[in-house]
Amino acid sequence: MPKLEVLEKYAKLAVEVGANVQKGQFVVVGSSTETKELARLIVKAAYKAGAKKVEVQWSDDYVARAGYDSMSIDTLKEIPEWSIDKAKYFIEENGCTIRITSPIPGLNAGVDPKKMQAAGIARMKSFKFYQDHMMGNHAQWSIVAAPNMVWAKKVFPDLSDDDAFEALWDAILEASRVTETNDPIEEWANHNKSMLAHNKVLNDYNFDTLHFTNSLGTDLHVKLVENHVWAGGGENSTKGVYFNPNIPTEENFTMPHKFGVNGKVVSTKPLNYQGNLVEDFWLEFKDGKVVDFDAAKNKETLKSLLDTDEGSRHLGEVALISYDSPISNSNILFLNTLFDENASCHLALGKAYPMNVKGGTKMTDEELLKANSNQSMVHVDFMFGNEDLQVEGILHDGSKVSIFVDGDFVI
Ligand code: ZN
Ligand code: ZN
């Protein structure tokens, strides 16, 4: 484990910059049993910041795996009323959320994908109101990461258990801008400033379409919705509290037109979905919809993701990150979207963030759909940036602006 003072800084960052816990606020911390040390420090930091009450939602992926093995599909689909009531209670209490992500890659290998899909759909349907609440920024939320041994060994297979664990902690802290000597709160104030400057440039152009090409075979036109908003860095909740949904974050992102995506995109990093790694895959879009796809590994997992619902074959996000950027330069494949998506241009299948269209957080589902904003129970990012990615912005008058040359921002 890193030094206690460093972990305390990280916990403070999650509380004060991530969720920006307000005095007297209710706080929900989501943690697996693998990350209990960090969860305890976050709880302490939240009380120190003035939280009224901190509730920890513990989970354990091994327990979940045992359930997938032994429960029937019908039982897996049962969502008890009390768990829904609990989520409603969190909303009523204006709870903000800090989730510690610590995936265990490969843990669900061999589970019947139908079981995982059925359980996932039942859960997502029942908790749609909660996802809408969070994705609509009605309360502050933030995701940070902490390692577990299996994950660490997957990222650093050549190191001993202890060294791998240590190395993953170091990589997470470094990517999150937490060091022994710095003040992460100040670092993040500066980082947010530069992210906002980039959003402004992109918003001022008001592109009609982005055109992506590279040597791997990506040739994709992504039309943006009218009145789209580029976001990245900190955001405001609808109650006016500034927070950072992701620690770390390096992306500037906006909303694709649900029916305006055409061409082919080739992935450049594996996708860890429901504990399975989908590798070397591509998707082909026509009028916004995935009409063809393939994967060298775990194609079934990709198929079950695409078949989740009507919106899971359409895009909900397009994000730009320079190839020459801190997490990308670390050259570490984290096998975790929170990090890998910040090392590479990416797209997300599924639900769009309402804030990526003007007035979106106040729109109903119908109004969002009218604005060509995709709706789905899922939001799954996948990476396609590489060192020779070219991005051209096409303006409404048809003229073109180079946004990326050879993998990096040029505007
Ligand atoms: Zn993103
Ligand atoms: Zn995303």
Side-chain angles (χ1 to χ4, degrees):
M1 296 283 282
K3 284 190 186 143
L4 181 63
E5 315 83 278
V6 179
L7 286 180
E8 281 172 342
K9 275 199 218 179
Y10 184 44
K12 187 175 175 201
L13 180 72
V15 166
E16 295 185 11
V17 172
N20 191 5
V21 172
Q22 302 291 290
K23 286 223 157 41
Q25 194 170 17
F26 186 84
V27 181
V28 182
V29 176
S31 172
S32 107
T33 48
E34 303 282 321
T35 56
K36 59 181 188 297
E37 293 84 2
L38 180 64
R40 288 170 185 159
L41 293 177
I42 287 175
V43 170
K44 273 194 194 165
Y47 281 126
K48 208 167 171 193
K52 179 175 82 171
K53 184 177 177 181
V54 187
E55 182 95 29
V56 181
Q57 300 292 297
W58 295 105
S59 59
D60 185 301
D61 293 340
Y62 293 91
V63 171
R65 162 83 210 220
Y68 283 126
D69 284 340
S70 300
M71 282 195 260
S72 69
I73 288 202
D74 282 343
T75 308
L76 282 166
K77 277 159 65 180
E78 278 169 22
I79 308 289
E81 206 53 41
W82 58 259
S83 65
I84 295 167
D85 287 344
K86 191 163 68 176
K88 283 184 182 157
Y89 171 76
F90 292 158
I91 293 176
E92 278 158 21
E93 288 288 303
N94 184 32
C96 64
T97 303
I98 300 169
R99 189 161 70 80
I100 305 170
T101 172
S102 188
I104 302 176
L107 178 65
N108 290 328
V111 174
D112 178 0
K114 282 197 195 75
K115 275 191 167 179
M116 298 202 66
Q117 191 190 35
I121 288 176
R123 207 166 36 233
M124 288 183 283
K125 269 191 184 151
S126 300
F127 290 99
K128 181 181 183 300
F129 68 96
Y130 196 68
Q131 192 204 31
D132 286 351
H133 183 77
M134 290 299 166
M135 278 184 78
N137 289 350
H138 297 293
Q140 319 96 275
W141 57 278
S142 191
I143 306 177
V144 296
N148 61 67
M149 195 66 88
V150 177
W151 178 21
K153 285 289 283 183
K154 266 263 159 52
V155 178
F156 300 104
D158 300 331
L159 299 183
S160 70
D161 284 9
D162 287 349
D163 287 352
F165 192 74
E166 227 35 63
L168 185 53
W169 253 127
D170 288 349
I172 287 171
L173 291 169
E174 166 104 38
S176 307
R177 296 164 195 263
V178 178
T179 69
E180 279 189 29
T181 50
N182 76 351
D183 174 5
I185 310 274
E186 192 186 314
E187 288 281 329
W188 274 79
N190 293 332
H191 180 48
N192 272 329
K193 235 184 249 163
S194 74
M195 298 292 294
L196 291 184
H198 235 150
N199 290 335
K200 187 177 180 323
V201 174
L202 291 161
N203 281 325
D204 288 348
Y205 271 113
N206 188 29
F207 292 112
D208 176 75
T209 297
L210 305 178
H211 182 206
F212 298 91
T213 49
N214 70 12
S215 61
L216 301 172
T218 291
D219 187 351
L220 189 74
H221 282 88
V222 178
K223 189 178 169 65
L224 304 178
V225 294
E226 229 174 278
N227 298 317
H228 64 265
V229 176
W230 284 92
E235 293 167 14
N236 278 303
S237 77
T238 54
K239 296 178 184 78
V241 182
Y242 192 71
F243 69 103
N244 274 270
N246 289 354
I247 293 177
T249 187
E250 305 290 336
E251 59 172 324
N252 295 99
F253 63 101
T254 194
M255 192 187 287
H257 186 299
K258 175 166 184 173
F259 305 105
V261 182
N262 284 286
K264 183 175 177 178
V265 61
V266 181
S267 73
T268 49
K269 286 175 196 283
L271 166 67
N272 189 6
Y273 185 63
Q274 294 187 330
N276 289 310
L277 271 191
V278 184
E279 291 177 46
D280 297 322
F281 61 99
W282 55 263
L283 303 168
E284 187 154 338
F285 291 84
K286 188 164 185 332
D287 299 330
K289 188 178 170 183
V290 175
V291 290
D292 199 8
F293 63 95
D294 201 4
K297 225 175 144 189
N298 283 320
K299 187 178 177 185
E300 274 308 301
T301 301
L302 180 59
K303 184 176 186 307
S304 101
L305 164 62
L306 291 168
D307 290 342
T308 307
D309 57 18
E310 185 270 337
S312 54
R313 278 188 185 245
H314 293 262
L315 295 183
E317 178 191 347
V318 54
L320 304 178
I321 296 104
S322 282
Y323 190 74
D324 179 14
S325 62
I327 300 176
S328 173
N329 288 340
S330 78
N331 257 327
I332 298 169
L333 180 62
F334 283 84
L335 301 168
N336 178 341
T337 306
L338 180 62
F339 296 87
D340 294 332
E341 74 165 354
N342 282 303
S344 174
C345 285
H346 59 267
L347 300 166
L349 290 163
K351 186 173 166 62
Y353 287 99
M355 65 165 173
N356 284 133
V357 61
K358 270 181 205 146
T361 55
K362 294 195 176 72
M363 290 182 190
T364 62
D365 280 1
E366 289 69 36
E367 288 167 331
L368 283 167
L369 209 54
K370 248 195 207 147
N372 297 303
S373 167
N374 190 32
Q375 301 285 314
S376 172
M377 290 184 288
V378 293
H379 175 99
V380 178
D381 302 87
F382 65 93
M383 280 55 86
F384 71 100
N386 76 331
E387 70 278 6
D388 74 352
L389 185 70
Q390 319 294 327
V391 188
E392 206 169 49
I394 304 170
L395 295 166
H396 284 274
D397 66 6
S399 58
K400 291 171 182 174
V401 178
S402 251
I403 304 175
F404 270 47
V405 172
D406 289 337
D408 295 330
F409 266 114
V410 289
I411 59 170

